[in-house]
Amino acid sequence: MPPVVAFKVLEIEDQLFWNQGGQMQNKIMVALSLAIISLFSSQVNAQGAWPERAVKIVVPYPAGPGPADTIARIVGEQLYRQLSQPFIVDNRAGASGNISTDFVVKSPADGYTLLLGAIGPIVINPAIFKGLNFDPLKDLRPVSYVGAEGYVLVANPSVGAASVKELVAMIKERPNRFSFASSGVGSGTHVAAELFQHAAGVKLLHVPYKGGTPGLNDVVSGQVSLTFTTVPMAANFMRTGKLQALAITGSKRAAILPDTPTMAEAGYPEAVFNGWYGFFVPARTPKKIVERIHAQIDLALSEPEVRKKIEDLSIQIQGKTDHEFSDFVRFETERLGRTIRAANISVD
């Protein structure tokens, strides 16, 4: 935009200073006209200037192969190609994502600090941590929804259940026998399991681990009955028959598990759980900047190469306006908050 405006200023300047006969026009009128053009140019620049320098994308998890970090880098690289400004991924792991969220909440509301938010830090943490210094619903503004991944409910083959209904019947018949592994108290896998227990009217023994891999390994070895995990983590075990996939917690079936039904299809719609990702900014970020960020991220997500890379993570890209994203975050905060309070989940 600025180069085009500058060109037009020079063009008009030339027309104003010289008429067809080559005579100079009234200098006062010229000066006034150029002042108006200069003011218009500065207003255009102010409205469309973002970004004029590097933008930071804060990720609440360590650098590595995880979905959040990968999404931030994929989208950041595409935004650099679109806008010719660096988008720097800043991994601030710790406190289940609270450190990164607090950092962004306290950052200047100027569009130069984005948060790659996820269901844990944004929706679950406010319900399980007491005395947080921030409220995501009040202190952050949802900008762009990226997409979601459903977890897969997997069981050790020795459990002997071929469907969710069979599993539920077995648990009700022998309520003290079955256990589930989670990646930690208050984690997404824990909340997904609580939703399932509430929807099915069953009770399982909770075995929390520090991360998803140790718990998944213990399900494979038969020390724990079942778990909820991401599709990529369980894929190899399912291919080799070491795990039995029973249902997808997401709204849609997973592309690499087309024969595995969703929880809703299995008869338990209240057990739907999506691990989602999206971009946030501090709440007081100006509307114009929010709209520009949203438009640029949407453009990035429309690129076939970007979509393929993200979908290869088993994340289904779904378009939402910033208002739809805000409504979604509020709805999920209320829905999962009820489940967390009913299960008395707390990390304090």
Side-chain angles (χ1 to χ4, degrees):
M1 180 69 74
V4 175
V5 173
F7 175 80
K8 289 183 177 179
V9 170
L10 292 174
E11 182 182 33
I12 294 172
E13 179 182 7
D14 183 64
Q15 292 174 354
L16 287 170
F17 269 96
W18 304 97
N19 62 19
Q20 290 182 349
Q23 300 297 317
M24 184 175 288
Q25 301 293 318
N26 186 301
K27 290 185 177 181
I28 296 177
M29 292 300 296
V30 169
L32 179 61
S33 299
L34 291 178
I36 293 172
I37 293 169
S38 177
L39 177 61
F40 171 77
S41 175
S42 64
Q43 289 175 339
V44 170
N45 288 341
Q47 291 176 2
W50 183 93
E52 293 182 314
R53 53 185 170 84
V55 179
K56 183 179 294 184
I57 301 177
V58 179
V59 177
Y61 306 106
D69 184 69
T70 305
I71 290 170
R73 294 179 191 278
I74 292 170
V75 175
E77 288 173 6
Q78 180 60 32
L79 290 174
Y80 169 73
R81 288 193 282 269
Q82 293 172 192
L83 299 165
S84 300
Q85 291 290 356
F87 283 73
I88 302 167
V89 175
D90 181 5
N91 299 91
R92 292 179 179 260
S96 300
N98 291 335
I99 290 175
S100 61
T101 307
D102 184 64
F103 176 81
V104 174
V105 164
K106 294 177 180 176
S107 296
D110 55 8
Y112 289 94
T113 304
L114 313 181
L115 174 68
L116 195 284
I119 187 171
I122 302 298
V123 170
I124 295 176
N125 285 4
I128 65 174
F129 285 91
K130 309 304 179 186
L132 287 179
N133 296 323
F134 57 84
D135 180 350
L137 290 178
K138 296 179 180 178
D139 299 327
L140 291 173
R141 183 167 181 171
V143 178
S144 291
Y145 183 81
V146 175
E149 59 175 340
Y151 291 153
V152 56
L153 169 59
V154 292
N156 186 282
S158 64
V159 170
S163 68
V164 178
K165 286 194 178 296
E166 285 186 15
L167 176 66
V168 169
M170 294 168 66
I171 296 172
K172 288 182 176 179
E173 184 179 347
R174 302 178 66 180
N176 298 319
R177 175 186 173 187
F178 299 95
S179 58
F180 77 92
S182 80
S183 54
V185 174
S187 64
T189 55
H190 182 191
V191 175
E194 293 295 345
L195 280 172
F196 167 67
Q197 291 178 88
H198 175 75
V202 297
K203 188 64 179 175
L204 297 162
L205 174 65
H206 180 204
V207 185
Y209 290 80
K210 292 184 178 180
T213 301
L216 185 62
N217 289 337
D218 276 1
V219 175
V220 171
S221 68
Q223 296 183 57
V224 183
S225 307
L226 53 92
T227 190
F228 290 80
T229 186
T230 63
V231 173
M233 284 188 67
N236 288 334
F237 294 118
M238 290 184 289
R239 291 192 195 101
T240 57
K242 294 180 180 179
L243 288 176
Q244 172 70 46
L246 298 177
I248 297 292
T249 67
S251 306
K252 299 179 180 179
R253 294 192 181 196
I256 66 173
L257 294 173
D259 297 327
T260 302
T262 65
M263 277 290 182
E265 291 172 335
Y268 303 97
E270 292 181 359
V272 170
F273 181 92
N274 287 294
W276 52 261
Y277 303 92
F279 288 89
F280 295 76
V281 293
R284 290 186 294 277
T285 302
K287 182 180 178 181
K288 290 287 186 183
I289 293 178
V290 172
E291 290 174 347
R292 180 154 169 78
I293 297 172
H294 176 82
Q296 290 297 323
I297 292 177
D298 268 13
L299 180 61
L301 294 174
S302 71
E303 287 292 323
E305 182 181 356
V306 172
R307 293 184 68 90
K308 184 180 185 307
K309 288 180 179 178
I310 293 177
E311 288 171 351
D312 283 347
L313 302 171
S314 291
I315 294 171
Q316 298 170 341
I317 296 177
Q318 301 169 5
K320 293 183 187 290
T321 67
D322 57 333
H323 296 295
E324 289 172 339
F325 189 17
S326 294
D327 291 342
F328 171 76
V329 171
R330 190 172 297 278
F331 174 80
E332 285 292 272
T333 299
E334 294 173 355
R335 181 177 80 100
L336 298 184
R338 289 193 297 269
T339 298
I340 291 167
R341 288 188 292 272
N344 196 30
I345 302 174
S346 176
V347 297
D348 293 341

